[in-house]
Amino acid sequence: MDELVREQLGYIEHASVRDHLTRFGITVAYFADDASAAAWKEIAEHVEAQRLGREMFYSEYSVRVATVYRSYEFMAPK
């Protein structure tokens, strides 16, 4: 999915983190607009990965769709 999401129209960036001990994981993908995010949800390979996830890996999950109005970063001087 990492390579596939990068190819999607409107893709900005994404990040994933997994804790294999607790089996907790989170993936956040950022798109330029709602239409691009909605289109990602309909990509056939993504739909199949979601199906396999439900059948083989996850007993529960949640999805949040949000709009980022502001984003900034701080990096300490090196």
Side-chain angles (χ1 to χ4, degrees):
M1 291 296 98
D2 282 346
E3 292 178 25
L4 186 63
V5 72
R6 285 185 181 97
E7 298 171 2
Q8 300 313 302
L9 185 64
Y11 169 82
I12 297 173
E13 66 180 337
H14 76 285
S16 294
V17 177
R18 300 281 179 267
D19 181 330
H20 296 287
L21 295 176
T22 64
R23 298 183 54 117
F24 176 82
I26 183 171
T27 299
V28 180
Y30 297 93
F31 293 91
D33 51 46
D34 288 340
S36 297
W40 166 240
K41 185 164 175 48
E42 302 302 320
I43 299 296
E45 295 92 337
H46 186 214
V47 171
E48 178 65 6
Q50 291 172 349
R51 185 188 67 76
L52 290 173
R54 285 189 298 273
E55 290 179 6
M56 300 175 63
F57 301 106
Y58 302 110
S59 60
E60 61 185 63
Y61 63 88
S62 62
V63 175
R64 290 176 179 84
V65 177
T67 300
V68 176
Y69 292 101
R70 184 178 314 129
S71 176
Y72 55 91
E73 298 177 19
F74 168 78
M75 296 180 74
K78 293 182 180 183

